Amino acid sequence: QVWQIRLDMHLLNHDGNITDAASIAGIVALCHFRRPDVSVQGEEVTVYTPEERDPVPLSIHHMPICVSFAFFHQGTYLLVDPSEREERVMDGLLVIAMNKHREICTIQSSGVVMLVQDQILRCSKITAVKVAEITELIQKALENDHKARKEGGKFGFAESIPNQRITAFKMESAAIDTNNVEEQAGEIITKADPPSEVFVNPILHTPGTAQIGEGIGNSWGDLEESEKEEAAEEEGESEAAAFECQKTETEDTSMMTETKKDEPILLSDSEEEEVVILEPQEVPRKTR
């Protein structure tokens, strides 16, 4: 009766506005997904294979679609679906998720721009129009896929390749000469410069692992020039504060020593009423 559905998204490349693309891809994947059919008789649960029974779709009540808005010059200019370059220079971003019933599912604002009520209302109206268009495209694509699967035609990835929906940046096909490949590779290796160091045997750092060579030094921990200057300033300030603290402690110790040298310490005994005079003693100074 209970199924756990996990949706993983792998980003290959992008030209901006990842949120909108991810929301569309996610909701389409959930609408397209089919789980195995199940029957329960008493305590016996039977999960049927696709050959035995057709898989069952998920219960998707609505499709929340995200629409992103980029703001420039403190909200003076508004842009829908910003590209990667436009996202670099924008002042703020507003993302509204809405379904085709004009119900706002979520709204998120980021950046340094302050939005007024009229700007948000304007964006919500634009979102309603865009969501209606995108939802219609999604439903049409799902219907065409379902129809193609029934007719036994091309669908899914195989259908997307001829239309260049996935391979939009593909290279033109070129003939490759595979004759004498080994000889050509040998000539290239012969003409190439030899490596600076050759490790015959792998170096075992820990049991179960091996590495060819020691590799190069890690530069991730190196500080840039500005960071080095800030670190030097902070170190100088800490040293100055430590010197002032040490100087203050030294002065306090000197004053205590002079006071004890000038004035004797008197200790009284309440029972015998005797006064004992102690000789002044040197107090050692604190050192670091």
Side-chain angles (χ1 to χ4, degrees), residues 203-211:
I203 300 174
L204 300 179
H205 294 277
T206 57
T209 62
Q211 178 181 352

Side-chain angles (χ1 to χ4, degrees), residues 35-247:
R35 67 168 178 83
D37 195 5
V38 179
S39 65
V40 180
Q41 295 179 357
E43 297 182 355
E44 183 180 357
V45 179
T46 304
V47 180
Y48 297 97
T49 61
E51 290 77 13
E52 295 174 343
R53 288 189 182 182
D54 293 336
V56 181
L58 300 178
S59 299
I60 306 296
H61 301 288
H62 64 113
M63 298 183 184
I65 305 297
C66 293
V67 179
S68 298
F69 301 88
F71 295 92
F72 304 88
H73 294 284
Q74 297 300 320
T76 305
Y77 300 101
L78 171 65
L79 183 64
V80 184
D81 190 11
S83 64
E84 192 266 340
R85 291 186 177 182
E86 293 164 346
E87 288 180 347
R88 292 184 180 182
V89 296
M90 66 182 181
D91 295 333
L93 182 69
L94 178 66
V95 181
I96 301 177
M98 184 183 296
N99 56 23
K100 66 178 183 179
H101 306 294
R102 296 177 177 267
E103 297 174 346
I104 295 179
C105 304
T106 182
I107 183 170
Q108 180 184 9
S109 177
S110 60
V112 295
V113 63
M114 298 295 293
L115 301 177
V116 297
Q117 181 179 359
D118 295 339
Q119 291 174 319
I120 297 178
L121 291 176
R122 180 188 176 191
C123 293
S124 63
K125 293 179 181 179
I126 297 175
T127 302
V129 177
K130 300 295 293 183
V131 166
E133 296 175 356
I134 296 173
T135 303
E136 184 178 357
L137 291 175
I138 292 175
Q139 292 176 346
K140 184 177 179 181
L142 293 173
E143 291 175 0
N144 293 338
D145 179 83
H146 182 68
K147 182 179 179 181
R149 288 175 184 272
K150 277 190 172 182
E151 296 176 354
K154 293 184 178 180
F155 53 85
F157 187 79
E159 189 270 338
S160 300
I161 291 179
N163 297 332
Q164 296 185 358
R165 295 178 182 175
I166 297 177
T167 58
F169 301 101
K170 69 177 181 179
M171 300 292 294
E172 294 294 335
S173 59
I176 300 176
D177 186 11
T178 58
N179 297 326
N180 302 326
V181 175
E182 296 181 358
E183 297 178 0
Q184 295 178 6
E187 293 178 359
I188 294 174
I189 295 174
T190 305
K191 295 179 181 180
D193 296 332
S196 58
E197 291 183 82
V198 178
F199 296 90
V200 180
N201 298 323
I203 300 174
L204 300 179
H205 294 277
T206 57
T209 62
Q211 178 181 352
I212 305 300
E214 293 288 349
I216 60 176
N218 186 2
S219 61
W220 285 25
D222 297 341
L223 298 177
E224 296 182 356
E225 294 297 331
S226 59
E227 296 179 348
K228 289 181 180 179
E229 294 177 358
E230 293 178 359
E233 293 178 359
E234 293 178 357
E235 184 178 358
E237 293 177 357
S238 60
E239 291 179 356
F243 177 76
E244 292 293 336
C245 181
Q246 182 179 1
K247 184 178 179 181

